[in-house]
Amino acid sequence: MTDAAQRISALRHELDAHNYRYYVLDEPSIPDAEYDRLFCELQQLEQAHPELISADSPTQRVGGSALQAFAEVQHSVPMLSLNNAFSEDDLRAFDRSVQAGLGLPPGDLFGGGAEVDYSCEPKLDGLAVSLLYVDGLLVRGATRGDGSTGEDISANVRTIRTIPLRLQGSGWPARLEVRGEVFMPRAGFEALNARQVDAGAKTFANPRNAAAGSLRQLDPKITASRPLEFCAYGVGEYAADLPSSHIAMLEQLKAWGLPISRELRLARGVDACLAYYAEIGARRQSLAYDIDGVVFKVNSLEDQQQLGFRARSPHWAIAHKFPAQEELTELLDVEFQVGRTGAVTPVARLRPVQVAGVTVSNATLHNMDEVARLGLMIGDTLIIRRAGDVIPQVMAVVPERRPADARPVQIPAQCPVCGSAVERTQLVKRSKGRASLSEGAVYRCVGRLSCEAQLKQAIIHFVSRRAMDIDGLGEKIVEQLVDNGLVHSPADLYRLTHEQVLALEGFAELSTRNLLAAIAGSRQPSLARFIFALGIPDVGEETAKLLARALGNLPRISQALPEVLTWLPDVGQEVAHEIHSFFADAHNRQVINELLEHGVQPQQSSELAAEFTACASLAELLEKLAIPGIASTGARLLAEQTGSLEALIALSQDWLTLAQCKGLNEKARQALREFFADPQQRRRAEDIDAQLQAFGMHWLSERRQAGGLPLLGQTWVLTGTLESLSRDQAKQQLEALGAKVAGSVSSKTHCVVAGPGAGSKLAKAAELGIRVLDEEALLSTLQELAEQCDE
Ligand code: IVH
């Protein structure tokens, strides 16, 4: 065999294998761009060696064979494919061939020539479907299959809501075959994948696969549950005279109730086509669905007829593809980066490849669970995707291309920067009253600030604008300070001397004085900035602000038990655990003490914010303890009947009284008794209770006993946006003071709180003469009422 014959045979085998995976299994293993390249290579080789063309070459037919499980459908008019244009030159060549085919003057360098009218439509990334309407009724839906034989998927297409079962209007031909694309909009795709994850089922790589997988279901109930849509782009059989143009024909289909593209336009001449391509390309990411290019069709149907077809595609249409968003490349290695909190993150080092116009040579792999999910091995060929500005992502491995010497990816046992141990994070879970640990996805270097990577990142974070805001301390300087051994913790910044800074590269007298002044000037940050600057894992600016505002001072924040922290809005168990263990760590405590010793004084109040004093209730404490069998109703009943933890514990151990307790079944009573009989659990409950009391977070129930809540019996309405607290927080506080918070204004409403953007509710309040407060007035009212309660 000659070299060319060998290559042709290899390409045919490879393309056949991909076709099978793509059309039959719906599991493509290479991106479309790679398939197109292989196909082009084969086409070119066959053009150069026409004696080697055989009838079974993938270039001589349209696709794969039909699935066995569905009945076969013969397409009376073949379902063709489209030729591709990958560049402006390709498109201009297509335009010239159209002009030539129609016998029109082609024009020259200076323009001129006859301009052809083209219809422009997005090229939807789904799968082609034929719909047959007989006497206006949908009688059959079919896939394209190999172009002449498809599969009967009538039951499935009937489940797609955008496909009419009966045509509207009148005048349709007795037999009308509509062709178009079935696709899945991106939002529906994301939601479907989220559902698949919840159900422990396989997720789909992209919306096209999801659409294909959903349409090829033998059970139409599954198809019905999938967010599929249809868009018509042409006709097959048409037992009547056709309108005069492609666009008129689509408009006609639309009048009969079929969805067509909203982006359908007419372009006169190739330059207008290029403008359309650029315009849609710029909007590509904001469309609700994936498109991989645009389709240009000669608009006049008479001209289409004159131009005719070749084997696989018409002469009168072309798909102008966008640069591929997915490409193949090789995984050269996996390196591990150490972040600020010690997280050791795998990073893929790739053979550089152009994806959507940008060279990609690295991609984050997020964590080791992701590496396992993808099944990556070093040496593998990977599919890389880059959409818009989105950072490149590794989508999948191409299993067929795994080399024999592929190596597994292993998390290093030692930190690549400092050599400390690398440990897997543990997640704390509380369920049925017991704390249990499970393995997290993140590995951490345990070296903390003794690890140079963590130290540098921690200091860069500490000095950053939103943290301690030390001007003039850029990354390069931080590196020098660490590399020269001048700084081992953020506290050391406040010990730097004039001589030490002056000796650094790039520093002179003035710059030295400026930097030291900036450091000294940062000594009195707000408490929120200070907390944020500490770099507690999972504590961003917002959480830091919340902690500062709610708890008021550093001692409370650093001592707060995880359960107490979860009383704050938006603080969940995980974050509460991170905060608590950060402050429990001896090394972190030492750094904080040193900062304070060096004169750093976070601005704090001794007060617990009024908004939180009234937020705790005994029922909630009971819920947080997660006693088996005691859910919110049981917790509320017990709280009402006892009023304090002490009384509750006494009750739980007093079998006789407990037996008379309302609303608890035998099992719950037993669980309650066992829970508080366990000294550890009892201590935990008492500690939380004591801390709440110490912080001044009063029981709602105590408040009630103390003479009723000030807003009891009142109905309040919140409308518009609030700035310093969320609507939920405002609601919680109002409820804590006894108010009922309702969604609509009526004559029974006592007060309306209106922020910017308030509309009809505010108008209604004005109409009914109801008191209206703005945010400032609300805050001072809350404060006053909370103080009244305290008295
Ligand atoms: S026209 C003879 N128009 O692209 C012309 N196709 O590569 C046949 N496609 O099988 C197709 N959007 O699944 C046409 N606006 C559009 C399209 C479109 C997507 C798909 C279709 C077809 C494939 C051809």
Side-chain angles (χ1 to χ4, degrees), residues 636-654:
R636 197 167 39 80
L637 285 171
L638 278 169
E640 274 166 13
Q641 289 168 59
T642 55
S644 74
L645 183 70
E646 211 184 338
L648 181 80
I649 294 176
L651 171 74
S652 74
Q653 304 308 303
D654 174 355

Side-chain angles (χ1 to χ4, degrees), residues 433-487:
R434 308 243 167 251
S436 63
L437 291 177
S438 65
E439 292 199 318
V442 176
Y443 285 81
R444 281 209 182 123
C445 155
V446 300
R448 308 280 181 117
L449 296 185
S450 71
C451 172
E452 279 200 3
Q454 289 184 63
L455 177 62
K456 284 177 185 169
Q457 294 298 319
I459 299 214
I460 290 168
H461 173 78
F462 184 82
V463 305
S464 63
R465 202 166 53 80
R466 292 172 177 280
M468 299 295 275
D469 192 18
I470 303 182
D471 215 20
L473 239 180
E475 291 190 17
K476 288 271 164 311
I477 304 169
V478 172
E479 285 196 3
Q480 277 197 68
L481 290 172
V482 171
D483 291 342
N484 295 353
L486 295 175
V487 164

Side-chain angles (χ1 to χ4, degrees), residues 494-509:
Y494 296 90
R495 262 208 294 245
L496 287 173
T497 65
H498 190 88
E499 292 69 39
Q500 286 172 329
V501 176
L502 191 61
L504 295 176
E505 219 178 281
F507 274 87
E509 268 301 320

